[in-house]
Amino acid sequence: MIKLSPSLLAADFSNLERDIKIVENAGADYLHLDVMDGHFVPNISFGIPVIESIRKISSLVFDTHLMISDPMKYVKPFADAGADIITFHYESDARQKEIIDKIHSVGKKAGISIKPNTPAFVLEPYMDVIDLILIMTVEPGFGGQKFITDTLNSIRYARQLIDRSGREIDLEVDGGIGAENIGIPVSAGADTIVAGSAVFKSADIADSVKKLKRYGV
């Protein structure tokens, strides 16, 4: 069965507790938290105060995606705020192994993400230490974009790396995924799906979660 990680970026920010409770009760596995700094990506979203606040009302795994410059500096603050998985971008810092070690040192799972144009072979040196790989299937920074089909090659390559490693590593994909095309990345090897607009912008949030989860049954 696939894991579903609804992206909070698409939720109603005037009713965050309501929306979070809906996806939690509907069977979501993770809650995807897109943190943007306006520097690494051309948008600003939310940060530590929001995560601290919603941690009090949810027991979901907080799947925290740092689309920021200098992620090393913020590992502990986000861990303290309640993140369970901390994913940083390969492209954001040259100290990838040190950042992974830092995340583990504060007791959290470590994820590494690549943009659509970054070749998946750059992930190979981290297969013995990483807990999650996130393949961006749109350019990071904004929700509601169209799935980039060329990223399927990266998903397939990452799946091969994971299978060869023999380790339990989530292969997550994020961007432009809904009920109409979820089968495409899953068939390529993805097992964890981020969905924002397809969940929170739908007429029935709970039903959308269940439909997306049902694909993996």
Side-chain angles (χ1 to χ4, degrees):
M1 181 179 287
I2 63 167
K3 296 175 185 174
L4 183 66
S5 188
S7 174
L8 194 69
L9 194 64
D12 180 352
F13 271 65
S14 66
N15 289 285
L16 282 184
E17 182 173 3
R18 179 201 66 189
D19 282 7
I20 292 168
K21 289 296 185 184
I22 291 172
V23 298
E24 188 167 356
N25 292 335
D29 301 278
Y30 298 164
L31 186 64
H32 195 77
L33 305 175
D34 288 306
V35 178
M36 307 180 194
D37 63 358
H39 184 258
F40 179 70
V41 293
N43 197 8
I44 296 174
S45 58
F46 53 81
I48 290 164
V50 169
I51 295 174
E52 286 177 334
S53 296
I54 63 173
R55 181 76 283 175
K56 298 172 185 175
I57 55 93
S58 178
S59 60
L60 281 169
V61 172
F62 279 10
D63 173 24
T64 308
H65 179 194
L66 302 184
M67 288 176 271
I68 63 175
S69 300
D70 196 11
M72 180 79 83
K73 181 179 178 180
Y74 296 99
V75 167
K76 189 173 188 305
F78 277 103
D80 291 344
D84 296 297
I85 304 168
I86 298 177
T87 298
F88 68 98
H89 267 267
Y90 171 86
E91 304 90 353
S92 68
D93 199 299
R95 300 169 294 172
Q96 292 90 354
K97 179 59 165 58
E98 290 91 335
I99 295 170
I100 294 168
D101 290 343
K102 177 71 172 179
I103 295 169
H104 287 152
S105 76
V106 294
K108 306 300 179 179
K109 290 187 175 182
I112 190 167
S113 180
I114 57 171
K115 295 181 179 182
N117 291 326
T118 299
F121 66 74
V122 302
L123 301 168
E124 194 158 1
Y126 315 107
M127 298 308 299
D128 59 341
V129 289
I130 206 70
D131 303 296
L132 178 147
I133 290 170
L134 171 54
I135 306 294
M136 291 301 300
T137 49
V138 298
E139 286 296 333
F142 295 94
Q145 299 182 65
K146 186 178 178 180
F147 183 89
I148 299 172
T149 56
D150 285 351
T151 59
L152 289 170
N153 290 329
S154 292
I155 298 169
R156 295 186 188 103
Y157 192 93
R159 170 49 58 196
Q160 292 174 359
L161 291 176
I162 291 170
D163 290 348
R164 286 205 301 266
S165 77
R167 299 181 63 241
E168 292 289 330
I169 301 171
D170 286 343
L171 178 49
E172 186 173 69
V173 292
D174 180 3
I177 300 167
E180 74 286 350
N181 67 348
I182 187 173
I184 297 172
V186 171
S187 296
D191 55 32
T192 306
I193 303 296
V194 178
S197 300
V199 172
F200 288 114
K201 302 297 187 188
S202 66
D204 188 328
I205 294 173
D207 186 58
S208 295
V209 169
K210 291 171 184 176
K211 283 180 178 176
L212 289 165
K213 286 280 293 179
R214 199 175 299 137
Y215 181 86
V217 175

